[in-house]
């Protein structure tokens, strides 16, 4: 990503920020985007990162990178149980992170450090920051509404809610089945991780959101009241720059050349992000649902998406060939460019927050297929609050999939048409919030002054 530093516009600040992203795709991307945004505000940037899923420093020649050991065994360094992974790393990284940070703070040859910015899920960094007497600001990479659900979760779990379709009184319009649960080996790990993330965020000096006022006004107000620390909703981050290059996997550019051959708004783009996994039966239902929809589709099948398979082995022989070019499958796509392409008319998504925001920013309505955690909350908001997507709530089933795709892409009656109008309207709000005087623009100004006040 080429960043033009607006030195002529900004006063030279000569302060350094140290950022520590969580090594998962959906967290690394927004943290590096935030780093780039703050770089344009005149700060110099140092990134501390784990050996697991390291970013590529050559994409950011203007940043300084420091790698720390994460102590993960080969068998632990994967995302099949993300809660266990985060729990382990929050212990293993304490000493290497503290030593690295102490060294950086002691280096008087560089600009003085204004503060540390870390992912909310790196909860151990708050006490390290306190010991080293440096303010810590938290970046939360998901939606504000899902954070509020995480805040409420430990208390809700004690109530033993069991009727899945029942509304959660404390968190309208969520149902019990939308609570951000994540399957893990030891359910106590989830409880601990979330409680600590919330506790240490409360203890921090500020909170940055990749969201914007007009999208989540009530959630932002509630969050500010509950946390009583300065809050900076400056998103959507990715709209500050052209498509970024923090991808851990190589993006297959044939996605774009294939889209170039398709009619405007005819293609359903399908991706479930970097972590969600399917069993073989679900994968085949999706494949047949796409085939039966008769719509062109671009489908991201990440290696590892289907448990127990390398890649496309479960597909019947000749599956793609029989579709005569109507389907294109890639391992990883340049998603922002795909969503911005004129041929893309819908996004069947797992509703990770980055994907959800990227879809909103390009005015692409969604079919929601959440798998776990915050995705459930985001999906409910997409379908029931912003009303810019349809929710596939039942078991993954080919006929239901084909029907949902055809309704969204072809038959678009009154309801679907209104959905398209609403997402176009939200897209306009994105442009408004980022332009001079808009809410995110102003919030970024406030954040810059705040960082300079340390
Ligand atoms: N992404 C991509 N190519 C793909 C699929 C996803 O570049 O083929 C990017 C996508 O643009 C988003 C990120 O990966 O920025 C996924 O983050 P998200 O929060 O949506 O989901 P997660 O991977 O954390 O579940």
């Amino acid at each position: 990503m080429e960043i033009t530093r607006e030195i002529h516009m900004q006063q030279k600040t000569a302060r350094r920020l140290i950022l520590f992203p969580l090594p998962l795709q959906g967290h690394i991307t927004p943290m590096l985007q935030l780093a780039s945004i703050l770089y344009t505000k005149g700060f110099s940037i140092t990134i501390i990162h784990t050996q697991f899923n390291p970013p590529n420093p050559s994409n950011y020649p203007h940043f300084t990178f420091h790698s720390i050991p994460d102590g993960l065994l080969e068998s632990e360094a994967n995302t099949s149980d993300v809660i266990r992974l985060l729990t382990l790393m929050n212990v293993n990284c304490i000493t290497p992170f503290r030593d690295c940070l102490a060294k950086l703070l002691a280096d008087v040859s560089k600009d003085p450090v204004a503060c540390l910015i870390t992912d909310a899920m790196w909860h151990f960094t708050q006490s390290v920051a306190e010991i080293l007497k440096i303010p810590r600001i938290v970046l939360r990479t998901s939606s504000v509404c899902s954070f509020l659900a995480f805040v409420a979760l430990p208390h809700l779990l004690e109530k033993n809610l069991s009727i899945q379709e029942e509304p959660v009184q404390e968190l309208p319009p969520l149902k019990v089945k939308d609570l951000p649960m994540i399957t893990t080996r030891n359910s106590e790990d989830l409880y601990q991780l979330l409680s600590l993330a919330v506790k240490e965020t409360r203890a921090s000096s500020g909170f940055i959101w990749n969201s914007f006022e007009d999208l989540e006004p009530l959630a932002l107000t509630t969050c500010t009241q509950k946390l009583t620390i300065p809050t900076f909703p400056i998103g959507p981050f990715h709209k500050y720059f052209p498509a970024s290059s923090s991808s851990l996997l190589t993006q297959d550019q044939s996605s774009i050349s294939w889209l170039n051959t398709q009619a405007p708004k005819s293609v359903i783009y399908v991706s479930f992000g970097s972590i969600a996994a399917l069993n073989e039966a679900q994968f085949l239902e999706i494949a047949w649902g796409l085939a039966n929809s008769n719509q062109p589709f671009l489908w991201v099948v990440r290696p590892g998406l289907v448990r127990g398979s390398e890649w496309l082995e479960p597909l019947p022989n000749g599956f793609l060939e029989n579709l005569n070019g109507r389907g294109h499958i890639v391992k990883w796509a340049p998603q922002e460019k795909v969503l911005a392409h004129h041929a893309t008319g819908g996004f069947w998504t797992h509703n990770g927050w980055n994907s959800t925001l990227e879809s909103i920013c390009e005015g692409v309505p969604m079919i929601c297929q959440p798998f776990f955690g915050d995705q459930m909350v985001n999906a409910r908001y997409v379908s029931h609050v912003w009303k810019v997507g349809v929710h596939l709530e039942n078991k993954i089933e080919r006929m239901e999939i084909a029907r949902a795709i055809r309704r969204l892409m072809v038959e678009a009656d009154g309801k679907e048409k209104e959905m398209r109008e609403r997402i176009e309207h939200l897209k306009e709000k994105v442009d408004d919030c980022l332009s001079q005087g808009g809410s995110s623009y102003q919030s970024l100004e406030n954040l810059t002054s705040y960082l300079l006040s340390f």
Side-chain angles (χ1 to χ4, degrees):
M1 182 188 342
E2 188 49 46
I3 307 287
T4 314
R5 196 166 178 175
E6 299 167 26
I7 283 293
H8 58 291
M9 303 280 292
Q10 309 290 334
Q11 204 183 353
K12 175 110 179 78
T13 43
R15 300 296 299 275
R16 191 155 43 118
L17 301 172
I18 300 178
L19 288 79
F20 185 34
L22 199 75
L24 301 175
Q25 182 70 74
H27 294 248
I28 293 175
T29 300
M31 185 63 94
L32 287 171
Q33 287 164 344
L34 174 65
S36 299
I37 294 168
L38 294 171
Y39 179 77
T40 65
K41 289 289 174 189
F43 294 96
S44 47
I45 301 291
T46 298
I47 307 280
I48 302 178
H49 64 86
T50 54
Q51 287 166 339
F52 174 63
N53 277 351
N56 182 354
S58 64
N59 290 332
Y60 301 90
H62 42 299
F63 297 170
T64 310
F65 287 81
H66 293 271
S67 171
I68 58 165
D70 45 52
L72 293 175
L73 302 175
E74 214 179 304
S75 59
E76 294 165 342
N78 64 68
T79 55
S80 59
D81 184 342
V82 84
I83 297 301
R84 180 170 155 72
L85 178 74
L86 300 188
T87 303
L88 278 173
M89 286 196 301
N90 264 287
V91 176
N92 294 358
C93 291
I94 297 176
T95 307
F97 178 80
R98 190 193 55 212
D99 293 350
C100 179
L101 184 60
K103 224 190 247 167
L104 290 172
L105 292 174
D107 184 355
V108 290
S109 70
K110 299 254 169 60
D111 296 338
V113 176
C115 82
L116 172 70
I117 302 181
T118 77
D119 195 285
M121 302 313 280
W122 278 136
H123 54 75
F124 80 86
T125 58
Q126 181 61 33
S127 49
V128 174
E130 283 165 18
I131 291 165
L132 297 177
K133 300 198 167 30
I134 175 173
R136 169 186 178 237
I137 306 265
V138 171
L139 167 65
R140 177 66 189 146
T141 57
S142 190
S143 55
V144 187
C145 49
S146 71
F147 182 78
L148 291 177
F150 279 128
V151 172
L153 194 62
H155 156 72
L156 291 172
L157 291 180
E158 279 165 18
K159 286 173 59 176
N160 209 5
L161 303 165
S162 57
I163 305 170
Q164 296 296 303
E165 293 299 328
E166 196 114 295
V168 180
Q169 303 300 342
E170 297 84 343
L171 297 168
L174 300 191
K175 299 180 181 182
V176 169
K177 66 178 183 184
D178 302 327
L179 289 176
M181 300 301 294
I182 306 176
T183 312
T184 178
R185 212 189 283 190
N186 176 0
S187 53
E188 188 58 24
D189 283 351
L190 171 66
Y191 182 90
Q192 275 286 329
L193 187 72
L194 295 184
S195 307
L196 285 169
V198 173
K199 172 172 172 267
E200 301 300 6
T201 296
R202 279 187 209 281
S204 74
S205 302
F207 211 177
I208 301 173
W209 290 104
N210 187 12
S211 188
F212 57 102
E213 281 282 350
D214 272 345
L215 190 63
E216 303 191 87
L218 288 177
L220 274 165
T221 308
T222 311
C223 190
T224 311
Q225 283 164 354
K226 277 189 191 284
L227 266 70
T228 62
I229 52 172
T231 307
F232 304 96
I234 64 167
F237 295 175
H238 73 283
K239 293 307 281 183
Y240 285 79
F241 310 108
S244 69
S245 53
S246 55
S247 200
L248 295 169
L249 297 171
T250 307
Q251 299 178 324
D252 187 337
Q253 301 300 329
S254 74
S255 314
I256 303 300
S257 42
W258 182 82
L259 282 172
N260 288 341
T261 65
Q262 304 299 316
K265 295 211 187 303
S266 66
V267 174
I268 177 89
Y269 169 60
V270 188
S271 166
F272 303 132
S274 62
I275 299 176
L278 300 161
N279 62 34
E280 202 173 305
Q282 292 171 319
F283 178 70
L284 287 174
E285 288 304 308
I286 291 171
W288 287 116
L290 289 169
N292 295 344
S293 75
N294 284 326
Q295 278 303 112
F297 62 87
L298 172 63
W299 185 12
V300 176
V301 181
R302 198 187 75 234
L305 174 69
V306 187
R307 288 188 209 98
S309 293
E310 292 280 319
W311 194 38
L312 298 178
E313 311 85 273
L315 279 186
N317 278 342
F319 175 83
L320 268 185
E321 293 73 10
N322 291 339
L323 294 174
N324 299 322
R326 187 163 60 74
H328 189 63
I329 298 183
V330 293
K331 291 184 173 163
W332 197 247
Q335 182 164 300
E336 286 179 40
K337 286 191 199 145
V338 166
L339 289 169
H341 198 283
H342 59 83
T344 304
F347 183 12
W348 183 10
T349 170
H350 69 312
N351 286 118
W353 186 238
N354 295 289
S355 296
T356 305
L357 265 185
E358 288 159 13
S359 208
I360 288 174
C361 289
E362 298 308 332
V364 178
M366 288 163 257
I367 297 179
C368 305
Q369 181 86 63
F371 286 76
F372 61 82
D374 64 310
Q375 299 159 15
M376 327 287 257
V377 181
N378 299 337
R380 184 64 62 199
Y381 270 71
V382 166
S383 56
H384 285 74
V385 178
W386 305 315
K387 300 190 176 133
V388 292
V390 291
H391 203 321
L392 281 185
E393 303 214 27
N394 305 322
K395 192 164 151 261
I396 299 179
E397 197 274 321
R398 61 187 75 183
M399 294 313 289
E400 192 176 341
I401 293 167
R403 262 197 308 273
I405 295 175
R406 290 202 64 75
R407 255 205 332 267
L408 182 71
M409 306 291 296
V410 200
E411 289 151 15
D413 60 11
K415 224 163 109 202
E416 274 76 17
K417 196 166 155 269
E418 281 172 18
M419 211 160 67
R420 284 192 188 274
E421 284 165 7
R422 271 193 295 267
I423 201 157
E424 275 303 324
H425 186 59
L426 268 186
K427 183 181 169 191
E428 284 165 21
K429 298 239 174 202
V430 171
D431 296 337
D432 291 348
C433 81
L434 293 173
S435 48
Q436 191 162 5
S439 64
S440 294
Y441 177 97
Q442 194 50 50
S443 202
L444 177 59
E445 293 297 300
N446 297 346
L447 173 63
T448 307
S449 316
Y450 188 56
L451 295 176
L452 289 173
S453 73
F454 290 128

